[in-house]
Structures are given as C-alpha cells and as structure tokens.
Amino acid sequence: MAEVVVLFLTLCVQLLALPLYVLWYLGIWGPFCKKIFFPYILEKFTVDYNQIMLKQKQDLFRNMREFADPKGKLTVLEIGTGTGSNFQFFPANCRVICTDPNPHFQEHLAKSMAQNKHLEYSQFITASGEDLSQVADASVDVVVSTLVLCSVENMEAVLKEVCRVLKSGGAFYFLEHVTADHSSWSFFWQRVYSPTWKLLFDGCYLTRDTWADIEKANFSEIKLQHIHVPLDWTPIHPHIIGYAVK
C-alpha cells in the first residue's frame, strides 16, 4: 500500500512540474539549468546554508592545517567548488585548486575569490570528480567535497580519484546530505520528490547512503557523524559530516 501511495504522490508532483518536464524533453531545460538557473540558485542557497552551518563548518575545517606538508604548505583541492562558499573556512595562505564540471560558475567564483584574499588560488579545472586526470598522483594534502557527492554519476570512481590525488596521510573532508532513515516520514517524502528534485537541481539524488561508499573506500581512518540540518521546507535534513585520512 505504501508503495502505491508513494507512486501516486510522485506522479502528482511530476504533474505539477509538467512544464519543467516539457522543457527537459525539448532539450531546453538542461542547458538553461546549467548555465543560468543552478548557478544562481546555488549562490543564493549557500549564503543561507553557511549561516545555518557556520559552527559545523568552522569545526569541520578547524584542523585542516594539521595536514600541511613538512614545510608548512597546504594544498587543497575542492571537488565541485561551485560558487566558492567554503573559501571563508579554509586556513590562511593555503593553495586552492578549484574543480567543477560546470564552467558557468566562474563568474560567481570570482566574487568569492575577491572576498577571500587570505587564500592562494592556483587554477580552475573544468572536470568531474570522476576524472581528475589533470591533477597529479599524490599531489594534494586535502580534498574537500560539500553538497557534491549527491550529484556525481559514479561515487566509487570519485572516491578512487580522491585517494589517487591525496598524499599519504592526506585528508578528505566531506559534508553531504544523504538518505533519511528508511522507516521515517522524511524518507517517504524524499522518495516522492526524488525524480523532480533530480531534474530541477542538476542531477541531485535525495536517497544516497553516501557514508557507506566512504566507508568502503581506501581510507585508513574515518571520522564521520550523522547530523540533522534545519533546512525548512526541504527534503535534505539528514547530513553526514567528517573527514577521512588516506
């Protein structure tokens, strides 16, 4: 019975979003989403998100300097840099390599760079997390991913790339929304919204158990917490936060 209800409500949501599906079918929505809609929405969203998550982000990145090389230099690679919303939390004078598969974030990214002059910006690489071939093996001290693993196509491939580019003893910092407990109403609504949410927000999946993939990856140590983020009127309350050491 529950499956029937989920299917019915999913179809209702899709019916309400029918114009969006029509635009997608005509090949209009995809380019518009990547070039205009998603960069604009993400810039607005991350301002509020950073206010809500200020303490959690400060605590998460507080020990990043501990992973600097013997000379004290710290190189950070961020997967899915987007609008650069994490820059304010990175330690001063670290070298940042920005990557994102969407080149249309660069205008927004330039604003964040101008506002965060305590960092040294190395380059912007237009690449997905599954293919970081422009980054050498064992060349970075830290990799960062926040609200990114929800939309990658191949989680295993991304985590393999993370381990490849990290130096031995380097750290992978993550903050990601994940699937809710399967017995909860939150999970029920995640399933209802999932198809339309994925279309609206550039391939974002609501029901990934991302922690399981991180735990299966080739890390020697993992510090991971499940938290609830008070994002009203959204299905992305459940999060994981932490870091993993290669």
Side-chain angles (χ1 to χ4, degrees):
M1 182 61 180
E3 294 298 321
V4 174
V5 174
V6 168
L7 177 59
F8 172 74
L9 291 175
T10 299
L11 291 173
C12 289
V13 172
Q14 290 176 314
L15 184 61
L16 289 172
L18 184 59
L20 179 65
Y21 282 90
V22 171
L23 290 173
W24 171 79
Y25 180 77
L26 294 174
I28 297 172
W29 175 253
F32 174 78
C33 179
K34 289 183 180 297
K35 187 173 183 179
I36 299 174
F37 177 79
F38 192 61
Y40 174 80
I41 289 296
L42 191 62
E43 183 179 45
K44 300 302 180 185
F45 170 78
T46 52
V47 171
D48 293 335
Y49 186 80
N50 274 351
Q51 290 177 348
I52 294 170
M53 297 295 291
L54 179 63
K55 184 179 185 303
Q56 289 89 339
K57 282 196 172 187
Q58 288 173 337
D59 291 343
L60 173 64
F61 296 122
R62 192 181 306 279
N63 71 333
M64 188 183 283
R65 177 61 69 183
E66 295 176 11
F67 296 98
D69 68 16
K71 295 182 179 179
K73 295 185 177 181
L74 181 69
T75 300
V76 178
L77 168 70
E78 184 165 22
I79 298 174
T81 306
T83 61
S85 62
N86 290 320
F87 291 164
Q88 61 183 290
F89 302 102
F90 293 170
N93 301 316
C94 71
R95 173 174 169 258
V96 181
I97 303 170
C98 305
T99 74
D100 203 290
N102 188 344
H104 302 295
F105 279 115
Q106 292 196 43
E107 179 183 343
H108 304 279
L109 193 60
K111 295 179 184 178
S112 292
M113 289 178 172
Q115 294 167 356
N116 293 277
K117 295 182 179 179
H118 64 290
L119 304 177
E120 175 190 340
Y121 301 102
S122 175
Q123 60 189 125
F124 181 92
I125 301 173
T126 303
S128 68
E130 291 92 340
D131 180 14
L132 300 173
S133 56
Q134 297 181 61
V135 183
D137 295 358
S139 61
V140 302
D141 305 294
V142 167
V143 176
V144 174
S145 165
T146 63
L147 303 184
V148 170
L149 298 181
C150 55
S151 58
V152 300
E153 293 184 8
N154 188 324
M155 185 84 71
E156 182 181 358
V158 171
L159 294 173
K160 281 184 177 179
E161 281 289 81
V162 168
C163 290
R164 180 185 66 80
V165 302
L166 274 175
K167 298 176 183 177
S168 179
F172 171 50
Y173 285 79
F174 52 86
L175 172 61
E176 302 287 344
H177 72 80
V178 294
T179 185
D181 184 283
H182 287 197
S183 63
S184 67
W185 279 108
S186 293
F187 180 66
F188 174 89
W189 288 110
Q190 282 182 335
R191 293 178 64 198
V192 169
Y193 294 134
S194 188
T196 301
W197 184 275
K198 181 173 178 285
L199 181 62
L200 185 60
F201 296 112
D202 200 22
C204 175
Y205 287 84
L206 290 173
T207 57
R208 284 187 168 172
D209 52 352
T210 304
W211 66 89
D213 293 283
I214 294 173
E215 289 169 352
K216 288 186 292 186
N218 190 29
F219 294 110
S220 63
E221 178 186 0
I222 300 174
K223 294 186 181 295
L224 183 152
Q225 288 182 297
H226 289 259
I227 62 174
H228 179 90
V229 178
L231 295 168
D232 295 337
W233 305 104
T234 77
I236 58 171
H237 296 147
H239 277 53
I240 56 170
I241 186 171
Y243 65 93
V245 180
K246 178 178 175 181

